[in-house]
């Protein structure tokens, strides 16, 4: 009888532990507001102010919603786009697919926690780094 109780306790403990363990992608699921955007693009001196305004508007109006069903909703300047997303098991890369443009983007995850995610991409010498903040507001 004692042996059965020990086995039952072990089975229950294992079930509770497995139920509480989150999949890595659960850190990404949610609504993220763009807070910072940096790139290495060279801008002519006479266009720097205009370019800065463009980047500030992009940051102010851009958000990403990563849903549990792998749906991705992006918003920028009032425009909305939908697609799909996946993440690798190590939380090192996110693949995003844009339905409208029929294109993929793979970005590196520099860091991610419950409140902040930093993404980085590099394509033909052009580098972008975005900092996103998880919010409840949509």
């Amino acid at each position: 009888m004692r042996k059965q109780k020990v086995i039952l306790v072990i089975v229950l403990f294992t079930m509770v532990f497995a139920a509480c363990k989150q999949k890595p992608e659960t850190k990404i699921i949610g609504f993220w507001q763009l807070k910072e955007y940096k790139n290495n693009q060279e801008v002519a001196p006479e266009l720097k102010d205009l370019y800065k305004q463009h980047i500030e508007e992009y940051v102010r109006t851009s958000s990403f919603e990563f849903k549990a069903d792998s749906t991705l909703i992006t918003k920028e300047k009032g425009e909305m786009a939908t697609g799909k997303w996946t993440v690798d098991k190590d939380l090192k890369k996110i693949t995003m697919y844009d339905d409208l443009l029929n294109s993929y983007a793979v970005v590196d995850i520099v860091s991610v926690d419950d409140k902040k995610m930093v993404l980085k991409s590099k394509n033909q010498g052009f580098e972008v780094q975005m900092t996103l903040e998880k919010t409840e507001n949509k």
Side-chain angles (χ1 to χ4, degrees), residues 77-92:
K77 298 180 184 177
E79 298 292 321
M80 185 176 84
T82 60
K84 296 287 185 187
W85 69 278
T86 59
V87 64
D88 67 347
K89 65 180 180 170
D90 299 323
L91 281 179
K92 298 291 182 193

Side-chain angles (χ1 to χ4, degrees), residues 49-102:
D49 287 339
L50 183 62
Y51 185 74
K52 182 181 176 187
Q53 291 173 1
H54 175 74
I55 295 297
E56 288 171 352
E57 182 180 9
Y58 178 69
V59 169
R60 189 175 54 256
T61 63
S62 297
S63 63
F64 301 81
E65 186 175 4
F66 297 92
K67 294 188 172 193
D69 68 356
S70 298
T71 300
L72 172 62
I73 299 172
T74 59
K75 294 180 184 173
E76 175 192 344
K77 298 180 184 177
E79 298 292 321
M80 185 176 84
T82 60
K84 296 287 185 187
W85 69 278
T86 59
V87 64
D88 67 347
K89 65 180 180 170
D90 299 323
L91 281 179
K92 298 291 182 193
K93 293 191 182 293
I94 296 178
T95 302
M96 295 179 275
Y97 175 75
D98 185 316
D99 289 339
L100 183 62
L101 298 176
N102 193 25

Side-chain angles (χ1 to χ4, degrees), residues 19-70:
C20 293
K21 187 177 177 184
Q22 292 185 344
K23 293 181 179 181
E25 61 267 20
T26 58
K27 282 187 175 183
I28 294 171
I29 294 170
F31 186 83
W32 296 85
Q33 185 69 43
L34 184 60
K35 290 297 179 184
E36 184 177 38
Y37 177 92
K38 297 178 187 175
N39 67 42
N40 65 343
Q41 186 172 7
E42 294 291 325
V43 179
E46 63 273 11
L47 298 176
K48 284 193 180 200
D49 287 339
L50 183 62
Y51 185 74
K52 182 181 176 187
Q53 291 173 1
H54 175 74
I55 295 297
E56 288 171 352
E57 182 180 9
Y58 178 69
V59 169
R60 189 175 54 256
T61 63
S62 297
S63 63
F64 301 81
E65 186 175 4
F66 297 92
K67 294 188 172 193
D69 68 356
S70 298

